[in-house]
Amino acid sequence: MKTTTIISSSFLLLFILLISANPYVLRAFDVETSKGNAEEFEDVERSHFPDEFLFGVSTSAYQIEGAILEDGKSLSNWDVFVHKNGTIRNGDTGDIATDHYHRYMEDIEIIHSLGVDAYRFSISWPRILPSGKIGDVNAAGIMFYNRIIDNLLLRGIQPFVTIHHGDMPQLLQERYGGWLSPLIQDEFVHFAETCFKNFGDRVRYWITVNEPNLFVDLAYEMGINPPGHCSPPFGNCSAGNSDTEPLIAMHNMLLAHAKASKLYRQQFQPKQGGLIGIVGSTFMYEPLTDDEHDKEAANRALAFNVAWTFDPLVFGDYPQEMRRYNKNDLPNFTSEEKLLIKDSIDFLGLNHYATLYAKDCIHTSCNCSEASHDTTCAPGGDRAISGFVSTTAERNGVLIGEPTGLVECCYVVPRGMEKIVDYVKNRYHNKPMFITENGYSSPLQQEDQLDDLQHDAKRIEFHKAYLASLARAIRNGADVRGYFVWTLMDDFEWAYGYAVKFGLYSVDHVTLDRIPRSSAKWYRNFLKNTTFSVMKPTIALSFRSAEQL
């Protein structure tokens, strides 16, 4: 027998032994190699992370609270936007959402049952300041969040608080035009100051703004979030300029962050001892081909996505790549503003959901009207606002990873976690990081398959693979200090309504009961460093906490 035959047989025997011992190895191998994108799978345990590492779950106010006009709260921009015909899938709204406003104690018990270290949630701006600066602070809103914070701390859970997660009083949208006006900056600072005064004695982690880069893309480029502004080729809205408005809105959000950060550091941080940061949407990009132009396009995409948020807050100005291509459309910081904004964060928050291929549109045509059959063509790739980059999930007819419920952007690509953390580590001199969101949405075709949705092996595989990737980055020196699962329970997922499901818990649309999925028990056992295997029971069960599974 030839030596090569012996080696091949030994490898086959070893592989059979491996998959017999761990069914996840086989499942992961089949999924990835069938798409031509094999990734090494490794198991992961809580002990692979530092002892002080924070594990948690994330939510946001509009997506779960409901109670849109109760106890003094005013209408938010989202409350109004969702009631416009055609804006949200299936006509869904957040009027009730998961009714967290009335069920917060039940939800805190669920969070506690998971054994997490921290809970990331956001404060509803119109619940605290219904009329903005010109009105009074809403005492009922303050009481609501005080109860949440106090009950979390009572159970040993750190509150990780986002001040602005997309929702603002509709009055401010009408008064100023939202984030398009520099006047909104002082409104935000007043809101942040109100939060620091009322909650800062117990909150150690503050996030000023969630994903400003993604927010302005969706709200002012694509027009699918309020106020619904856009222009061709990105969309056909009744108002807006997709080439310039995202840059203006982002500029105001970054300055609002910097002013709030300065206020916190000068007036509150010395006594309260907390940290303040911002969260960016951090897609990873890989070149579509080995061509140097596509490699440059991938780097440019990272600059126009990740560095657009973080560069000003670390270095004091926008990335040079943006200055080069956006020219006069990109606002300038004054010398005073550069000093204000530079080093205005204690940590970086990374929301990571996607890895995509990047195609150069400077040296190659990306005009979709001319390439209607080109799967790498995305509207707007030939525009400066996109960095002259077109992104796609497909290469040579093969997807970059297994599809999820967000087929427009999000595929299972675990290596992207390690790569994006490495990128941020290297670009920002290893500034402290938190993975503030990472999650798996079930493919939409499973919507009516209760068994697959409740016994969600795919979600478990997803988190194990991404956590293993994150652990590698940490072993290689990345200063990552926490990981938050998106999300605690199925919620209102913006333009997708309730069709897209990220939750460790499902929510019955009629009773609003929270029903733990297999992933809830897996996460609980992972945090306790115990093993867990997915086994489907013969009957469907409904419980209140992971401990009861």
Side-chain angles (χ1 to χ4, degrees), residues 4-5 60 129 160 167 190 228 238 259 285 300 305 315 336 359 390 397-398 410 442 467 469 500 530:
T4 54
T5 305
S60 88
L129 293 168
F160 209 101
D167 56 332
H190 178 66
S238 58
K259 291 178 179 179
Y285 297 94
R300 209 158 57 243
N305 177 257
F315 304 127
E336 292 82 4
K359 173 186 176 182
S390 182
V398 179
C410 302
S442 306
L467 281 168
S469 184
V500 169
T530 57

Side-chain angles (χ1 to χ4, degrees), residues 202-241:
R202 290 151 293 152
V203 173
R204 296 295 174 264
Y205 299 95
W206 289 103
I207 294 164
T208 52
V209 183
N210 180 76
E211 296 184 328
N213 53 339
L214 182 61
F215 170 81
V216 298
D217 281 349
L218 298 178
Y220 296 101
E221 182 180 286
M222 300 173 62
I224 60 174
N225 282 7
H229 283 201
C230 68
S231 60
F234 299 97
N236 292 292
C237 302
S238 58
N241 184 329

Side-chain angles (χ1 to χ4, degrees), residues 516-533:
R517 294 192 167 107
S518 296
S519 55
K521 184 176 182 181
W522 166 79
Y523 197 36
R524 173 178 174 268
N525 288 338
F526 166 80
L527 294 178
K528 289 188 174 183
N529 250 7
T530 57
T531 58
F532 172 70
S533 60

Side-chain angles (χ1 to χ4, degrees), residues 17-63:
L17 290 172
L18 281 171
I19 64 177
S20 299
N22 186 353
Y24 285 115
V25 174
L26 175 62
R27 187 179 291 113
F29 182 87
D30 285 346
V31 166
E32 298 296 344
T33 55
S34 68
K35 293 174 168 45
N37 290 289
E39 292 189 45
E40 180 183 353
F41 183 91
E42 61 182 271
D43 207 353
V44 65
E45 297 177 0
R46 171 65 180 87
S47 58
H48 295 167
F49 296 84
D51 291 341
E52 65 276 12
F53 193 89
L54 295 180
F55 280 98
V57 288
S58 285
T59 65
S60 88
Y62 184 75
Q63 293 179 269

Side-chain angles (χ1 to χ4, degrees), residues 184-197:
I184 198 70
Q185 296 174 28
D186 289 339
E187 289 280 355
F188 175 78
V189 173
H190 178 66
F191 173 40
E193 182 178 16
T194 304
C195 292
F196 300 148
K197 284 180 177 178

Side-chain angles (χ1 to χ4, degrees), residues 104-163:
Y104 69 93
M105 282 301 299
E106 175 186 355
D107 293 336
I108 290 172
E109 288 299 336
I110 288 173
I111 295 166
H112 183 232
S113 78
L114 292 172
V116 298
D117 309 295
Y119 172 49
R120 179 179 171 231
F121 63 97
S122 73
I123 307 291
S124 169
W125 194 341
R127 199 176 294 285
I128 297 296
L129 293 168
S131 301
K133 285 180 65 177
I134 65 172
D136 296 330
V137 175
N138 181 26
I142 298 295
M143 185 182 299
F144 172 65
Y145 293 109
N146 270 331
R147 287 171 176 167
I148 289 176
I149 291 168
D150 290 344
N151 278 284
L152 289 172
L153 291 172
L154 191 63
R155 291 158 178 80
I157 301 168
Q158 283 281 353
F160 209 101
V161 180
T162 304
I163 297 171

Side-chain angles (χ1 to χ4, degrees), residues 282 296 298-323 343 345 348 350 419-433 478:
T282 56
E296 292 173 5
N299 289 329
R300 209 158 57 243
L302 284 164
F304 273 69
N305 177 257
V306 182
W308 186 20
T309 305
F310 295 146
D311 265 28
L313 309 182
V314 177
F315 304 127
D317 205 352
Y318 292 114
Q320 286 302 311
E321 297 92 333
M322 297 191 74
R323 286 281 175 215
D343 292 325
I345 47 177
L348 303 166
L350 281 62
K419 287 185 174 183
I420 195 62
V421 168
D422 284 345
Y423 173 83
V424 173
K425 176 186 75 172
N426 293 330
R427 190 170 184 113
Y428 304 109
H429 313 303
N430 207 14
K431 201 167 189 69
M433 289 173 266

